[in-house]
Amino acid sequence: MSMLIAALLFIALLAVATAHFLWSLGSTWPIRNEKLLAQTVVGFRDIERMPPRLASLAVAIATLAAGIIALSLADHDSGGFILSLLGLLLAAIFLARGAIGYTAWWAGKTPEPNFRLNDSRVYSPLCLMLGLGFIALVILRLI
């Protein structure tokens, strides 16, 4: 069961990492222009451009690392207590991001309509599912 959960987490995180990596290279995939991409994936008021490419690269690397950690958590003999703590930290980060997406404060910070729609239907639920997946992996390591 652990390997299935880890594989699903890895696939989702690899997809996110790939998109951020492409954006770090200057691509606007899967959107036709940079302004619309920024409005769709960043969502801040009056945003015109994507954040610096180095930021997208950092997110790509961090997301890929989270996916690798998910796979590592599925191996009960690897990493010991420190890896389990890292899994709980990642769970907390993803759960916090998922939950914040449903707050009025976040909606005020990210009012772009394309982002609002995607955040409520994709970004926040995905983060919540990733967080729950990391919790499940840590619990399965302990039993």
Side-chain angles (χ1 to χ4, degrees):
M1 185 60 143
S2 293
M3 192 51 81
L4 175 62
I5 294 169
L8 292 172
L9 290 177
F10 182 79
I11 290 166
L13 291 165
L14 180 61
V16 172
T18 301
H20 280 85
F21 179 71
L22 291 172
W23 299 335
S24 77
L25 297 176
S27 173
T28 60
W29 176 87
I31 309 258
R32 66 181 166 268
N33 63 56
E34 184 178 12
K35 180 179 178 180
L36 187 55
L37 178 66
Q39 290 171 340
T40 304
V41 300
V42 181
F44 294 124
R45 184 179 315 278
D46 300 323
I47 191 160
E48 298 283 326
R49 302 182 68 213
M50 286 294 284
R53 290 181 180 182
L54 190 56
S56 290
L57 181 60
V59 172
I61 292 169
T63 306
L64 182 60
I68 293 168
I69 291 167
L71 293 174
S72 298
L73 283 166
D75 179 4
H76 297 279
D77 297 327
S78 70
F81 183 70
I82 298 297
L83 182 60
S84 296
L85 282 179
L86 189 55
L88 289 177
L89 175 64
L90 287 170
I93 290 168
F94 284 115
L95 289 172
R97 169 54 186 93
I100 204 170
Y102 295 107
T103 65
W105 175 82
W106 186 246
K109 291 277 189 194
T110 56
E112 291 294 334
N114 290 336
F115 180 83
R116 295 283 1 114
L117 180 66
N118 285 316
D119 193 33
S120 65
R121 291 188 179 173
V122 180
Y123 309 148
S124 289
L126 176 61
C127 286
L128 291 172
M129 289 299 113
L130 289 169
L132 291 174
F134 275 102
I135 288 174
L137 287 173
V138 171
I139 289 171
L140 290 170
R141 282 175 67 84
L142 300 175
I143 58 174

